[in-house]
Amino acid sequence: MLQIIELSYQSLTNAEDLIIISDLDKIDIMREEDPHTAVEHYDSILQTRNSPRAFYGKALALLQISRNVKSNKILESAIFNFKEVLALGKIVPDALFRLAGDEAIQQMKFRGFNTQAVKVIQTLIHRFPEDPMLKQTLGVQYLIIGDNKSAKNIFEKILITNPENGFALVHLGFILKTQSGDNLHELEMGVSYLSRGLATRAEGVLEGNFFFHLGDGLRRLGRFSEADAVYQEGADLNIFKSFWQRSIYNVDRLKSQPIWTIDETTYVSNLNNFVNNWKIIRLEAEKIFKARKFEAESENLKDSGTWNQFELYRQGRKLEKNCQLAPTTCSIVEKFEAAKTNRRGQIKFSVMLNGTHVHAHSGPTNCRLRAHLGLVVPDNANENNLKLRVADNILTWKEGELFIFDDSFDHEVWNNSGDRIVLIVDMWHPELTSHERNTLPSI
Ligand code: LMR
Ligand code: MN
């Protein structure tokens, strides 16, 4: 054991550091117990020499302190010292360069410094051009910073040398599919890459997002039975909660059913407040609609027609300006804790004009339930010409009436009746604990 440690330490030690290796080793060992003193010792070495190991040890000590005292500032100095190792360039042994780079990336991502992380990955690729994992990491990091063009580029490059790289295939497919818009050729390419990539079962490909977009892409190409097979496969692999419920951000134990009664939600009086005031709510919605304040839905879910919305709350935040135009509606929301604090949902008016079809889709999370309150429903509307399908249930809207569904289940909307306005209220799934409601990241 001892020998292995010595060997690995040596692989981190360049010729200059070898001269002081026993000091460095001693400081490294005391670092666990006393990172503060270790920092002082590393610093005294760094006063007289550019020691890669001292920079690295200092970075690790600072990282440990930052965790103990929960300080971002100290974490940032740790990151700075990992970068110092990299800045020393050629004099740093390969193994140490790699360790410092990997740590820098991990800590930068944790701190949200995603663009800086891209630079470090590039530095590592420069040093280790043969390592395929680094290129994959760079591609993913480009996606994280929203640079899809560079991401596409790098995955294409990986596929030139390794055409069966499943990780690159699914990522390239994902990029093509999600940017395809009305471009059917690009959509087909995306679907084809996704499907080939998933078939490899390579590490990192069995992800909900890839099954989700492959199924969705196939559906949009009219290949429904293939889409269903993908969804079934995702369900069988426990990547989806079920064939119908395909949210990605889930809390596992929560009760899953497509349609809920008011009683089942437990939020009876809050929901009844909307019903009892529906006419005032409608007045507010109509006034906003007539003033042309609604905006187009932006998630590329619409197949045909017009589907616009006016948001009142987003991710648990009140949109003050918008609420000024809907004071009664927002005052009702204000009393509804599980809705106004829902960081995984929205509260909005939704208008759907005659001639609209919304592609089948499922919401991102099973942590919310979605109530719809009918405000304006055409006289001629019925379950054939104005309908919401949730899994294999058909719902329709009635003025002044409310229904609740779980939008993590596959759903689809058609309006061939007349113009329809509803109020949509997302609320926390009733089985979430208050701790979860306070800490789940927003969506
Ligand atoms: C949806 O949430 O997908 C739709 O039901 C919204 C709407 O306006 O009907
Ligand atoms: Mn929806």
Side-chain angles (χ1 to χ4, degrees):
M1 189 64 196
L2 242 181
Q3 212 182 356
I4 296 172
I5 291 173
E6 269 171 27
L7 267 181
S8 67
Y9 274 28
Q10 275 187 17
S11 73
L12 307 181
T13 309
N14 70 6
E16 286 281 300
D17 274 349
L18 209 51
I19 302 167
I20 53 164
I21 190 166
S22 64
D23 291 345
L24 286 164
D25 287 354
K26 269 187 217 139
I27 309 171
D28 283 358
I29 287 162
M30 64 116 55
R31 187 179 65 223
E32 304 266 309
E33 291 280 300
D34 186 357
H36 284 98
T37 313
V39 169
E40 283 168 22
H41 288 310
Y42 291 125
D43 271 338
S44 74
I45 291 177
L46 290 169
Q47 268 174 11
T48 56
R49 51 210 306 155
N50 270 335
S51 160
R53 269 196 51 184
F55 274 123
Y56 181 66
K58 181 178 172 187
L60 287 177
L62 288 167
L63 184 59
Q64 197 177 319
I65 298 169
S66 80
R67 284 175 180 149
N68 293 346
V69 301
K70 295 198 169 57
S71 156
N72 275 335
K73 245 187 118 175
I74 300 174
L75 174 61
E76 285 161 25
S77 2
I79 291 173
F80 176 82
N81 281 278
F82 286 124
K83 285 202 300 187
E84 289 287 84
V85 178
L86 304 180
L88 294 176
K90 283 206 178 68
I91 67 161
V92 185
D94 278 349
L96 183 62
F97 198 89
R98 185 63 196 253
L99 276 179
D102 286 346
E103 273 294 346
I105 294 162
Q106 196 183 329
Q107 300 314 325
M108 284 168 175
K109 289 177 71 164
F110 177 76
R111 185 68 189 91
F113 296 164
N114 284 306
T115 308
Q116 273 196 52
V118 164
K119 297 224 170 69
V120 175
I121 303 168
Q122 286 166 335
T123 307
L124 286 183
I125 290 179
H126 192 73
R127 175 89 173 230
F128 307 107
E130 304 302 330
D131 185 332
M133 295 305 281
L134 283 172
K135 298 201 182 73
Q136 297 185 11
T137 307
L138 180 60
V140 172
Q141 195 61 23
Y142 276 134
L143 283 177
I144 289 171
I145 65 168
D147 184 351
N148 287 24
K149 212 172 146 195
S150 301
K152 178 168 175 271
N153 221 322
I154 192 119
F155 289 121
E156 282 170 343
K157 266 200 193 134
I158 296 174
L159 290 171
I160 291 172
T161 43
N162 183 1
E164 295 311 314
N165 181 310
F167 192 89
L169 285 169
V170 288
H171 282 84
L172 181 57
F174 171 83
I175 294 166
L176 292 171
K177 189 272 173 185
T178 51
Q179 73 182 19
S180 62
D182 293 333
N183 183 338
L184 276 188
H185 174 67
E186 197 166 43
L187 179 58
E188 269 168 6
M189 299 272 290
V191 160
S192 152
Y193 281 120
L194 277 166
S195 153
R196 281 172 52 204
L198 281 178
T200 67
R201 294 292 192 262
E203 195 169 331
V205 308
L206 292 183
E207 292 287 333
N209 243 326
F210 302 132
F211 280 87
F212 185 98
H213 283 287
L214 175 56
D216 186 55
L218 285 165
R219 263 187 177 168
R220 288 178 188 223
L221 292 168
R223 292 155 64 178
F224 296 104
S225 55
E226 287 173 78
D228 284 354
V230 169
Y231 292 145
Q232 190 55 54
E233 194 183 10
D236 293 342
L237 291 165
N238 280 326
I239 281 167
F240 297 134
K241 290 192 72 62
S242 69
F243 172 82
W244 288 120
Q245 193 178 19
R246 297 191 285 268
S247 43
I248 308 283
Y249 303 97
N250 297 317
V251 169
D252 273 334
R253 59 166 207 284
L254 301 181
K255 175 169 173 180
S256 289
Q257 63 186 34
I259 314 287
W260 288 64
T261 64
I262 294 187
D263 281 342
E264 283 171 325
T265 68
T266 72
Y267 307 124
V268 179
S269 67
N270 282 304
L271 288 171
N272 281 332
N273 273 340
F274 292 111
V275 176
N276 295 335
N277 291 286
W278 78 274
K279 283 194 172 162
I280 311 173
I281 297 172
R282 172 168 75 178
L283 271 180
E284 292 182 342
E286 280 184 315
K287 211 166 152 195
I288 295 165
F289 181 59
K290 284 181 187 137
R292 298 175 180 274
K293 303 258 184 209
F294 278 64
E295 289 174 355
E297 178 277 338
S298 60
E299 288 169 74
N300 184 29
L301 295 174
K302 195 189 63 183
D303 176 23
S304 59
T306 306
W307 177 26
N308 293 339
Q309 61 181 36
F310 185 81
E311 283 183 296
L312 301 173
Y313 288 71
R314 184 192 301 150
Q315 295 180 322
R317 271 176 297 118
K318 182 177 184 179
L319 304 180
E320 292 290 347
K321 267 197 180 151
N322 288 2
C323 272
Q324 278 168 20
L325 301 180
T328 306
T329 311
C330 287
S331 74
I332 297 172
V333 176
E334 269 313 296
K335 297 191 201 101
F336 190 173
E337 203 61 27
K340 75 168 182 181
T341 63
N342 186 345
R343 276 169 292 100
R344 297 196 153 191
Q346 296 162 293
I347 296 165
K348 61 191 177 187
F349 294 121
S350 169
V351 64
M352 203 174 276
L353 304 190
N354 191 4
T356 302
H357 172 229
V358 176
H359 285 297
H361 62 282
S362 34
T365 175
N366 75 340
C367 295
R368 70 186 187 207
L369 300 177
R370 175 161 280 192
H372 275 212
L373 175 67
L375 298 175
V376 177
V377 180
D379 288 337
N380 67 339
N382 58 48
E383 284 198 356
N384 294 313
N385 61 19
L386 177 66
K387 61 184 172 187
L388 168 65
R389 177 186 61 76
V390 186
D392 46 9
N393 307 274
I394 299 288
L395 302 172
T396 191
W397 294 269
K398 299 249 161 55
E399 288 186 358
E401 289 185 19
L402 181 138
F403 61 70
I404 300 128
F405 70 107
D406 179 337
D407 83 321
S408 62
F409 283 80
D410 185 76
H411 59 284
E412 185 170 6
V413 198
W414 296 262
N415 182 356
N416 295 306
S417 60
D419 302 347
R420 181 226 69 177
I421 305 179
V422 297
L423 172 69
I424 296 179
V425 180
D426 289 338
M427 63 208 101
W428 288 118
H429 191 294
E431 290 173 359
L432 287 170
T433 64
S434 54
H435 179 71
E436 284 164 334
R437 294 175 200 213
N438 289 328
T439 54
L440 282 167
S442 54
I443 292 176

